[in-house]
Amino acid sequence: MAQQDDDQTYLPISLFEPGNKGAITIHVKKKKKSQVPAQLLLVAPQAEGTYPVLLFCHGYCTENSWYSHFLEHISSHGYIVVAPQFYQCLLVSLNNEVQTAAEVADWLSTGLATSLPKNVKPDLSKLALMGHSRGGKTAFALALGHAPTALKFKALLALDPVSGPKPPTWVEPNILSYVPHSFNLSIPIGIIGTGLSSQAKGVIPPLAPNGFNHAEFFNESRPPCCYFLAKDYGHCDILNDSKAALASLVCKSGKDSKQKMRRGAGGIVVAFLKAYLGGETNALQSIIDITANAPITLDPIIHITV
């Protein structure tokens, strides 16, 4: 439960634990005559209400279901999460993924409400965008307008986003310019990086090398923007336990509990969304001010407001 310290500073311990709304997962299949642009994983609160919506883009060669525990944590605090499944071909164009994400965003206004339980309603005036790894780049590319959408995003989050050097056609668009604050975005941006993602795993190169990872994405973000580094964790430690263990064969992984990573990152995401979709800033500010309150070590934390 939330506590008060001697200075009456709010400590959002509850954000790092499952919320009181519950969470239910719904699989929406893409059929030949269906208007659904892609197979979807919907994660919605069980409690009756109207909730903000978060569009989530998964990472390279992963599946949306591999993030279910992380997304359930977020949803249980009062958010509807929509996670499309992109193609699994190794050389699929990133432009295709951005276009699919845009089509899903447009589908939200016509198809989301009918795909949810009757007592759960989406508030599309509070729509946020998030992605992990290559999906983080997909989220940025979509927010930057590389595929048009009818709805407007009010906030953008990225979990260990990664781009690539001078990309070939299949990983375009190239959105990094190496110019500080160059992203042409006026919405709040939150970035969660991992300290081990830039390290090689034996002879396997890092999945998020320096110069193309979370640090550069934050460098090019405009205020208001937040940066949190989970220094003791790796690139895929946000996944469900079994998938994180599988990914550890090809990338560095933290030694501590992956559940702590999901709880820590999930709490940050909820605090960010509360601040920038709901105007409730106490939770985010207290995470920034009182880092020991988080279940994982966050170092550094940077919050630029102007």
Side-chain angles (χ1 to χ4, degrees), residues 194-197 230-234 237 254 256-258 260-261 296:
T194 61
L196 305 182
S197 61
K231 62 179 299 185
D232 299 322
Y233 284 90
D237 288 343
D256 210 344
S257 163
K258 306 305 180 288
K260 287 185 178 180
M261 176 59 183
I296 57 177

Side-chain angles (χ1 to χ4, degrees), residues 82-157:
V82 180
Q85 179 62 52
F86 301 125
Y87 301 104
Q88 289 298 292
C89 174
L90 292 178
L91 297 181
V92 66
S93 169
L94 183 68
N95 279 320
N96 290 344
E97 294 189 359
V98 177
Q99 182 59 45
T100 298
E103 292 171 1
V104 172
D106 287 341
W107 170 87
L108 295 176
S109 60
T110 58
L112 179 56
T114 60
S115 301
L116 295 168
K118 291 183 179 180
N119 65 337
V120 175
K121 307 296 183 184
D123 182 356
L124 294 176
S125 70
K126 297 179 179 179
L127 175 62
L129 178 62
M130 178 171 66
H132 169 244
S133 187
R134 168 163 143 153
K137 179 181 177 180
T138 300
F140 264 88
L142 183 58
L144 287 165
H146 286 272
T149 57
L151 296 174
K152 300 301 181 183
F153 299 104
K154 299 299 177 62
L156 171 63
L157 292 124

Side-chain angles (χ1 to χ4, degrees), residues 130-210:
M130 178 171 66
H132 169 244
S133 187
R134 168 163 143 153
K137 179 181 177 180
T138 300
F140 264 88
L142 183 58
L144 287 165
H146 286 272
T149 57
L151 296 174
K152 300 301 181 183
F153 299 104
K154 299 299 177 62
L156 171 63
L157 292 124
L159 311 173
D160 241 6
V162 60
S163 186
K166 296 182 179 178
T169 301
W170 69 279
V171 289
E172 292 179 345
N174 184 20
I175 64 173
L176 296 181
S177 65
Y178 301 95
V179 177
H181 313 305
S182 57
F183 285 138
N184 186 24
L185 292 170
S186 58
I187 59 176
I189 297 174
I191 294 178
I192 303 171
T194 61
L196 305 182
S197 61
S198 60
Q199 298 182 21
K201 173 77 172 184
V203 298
I204 302 175
L207 298 187
N210 290 329

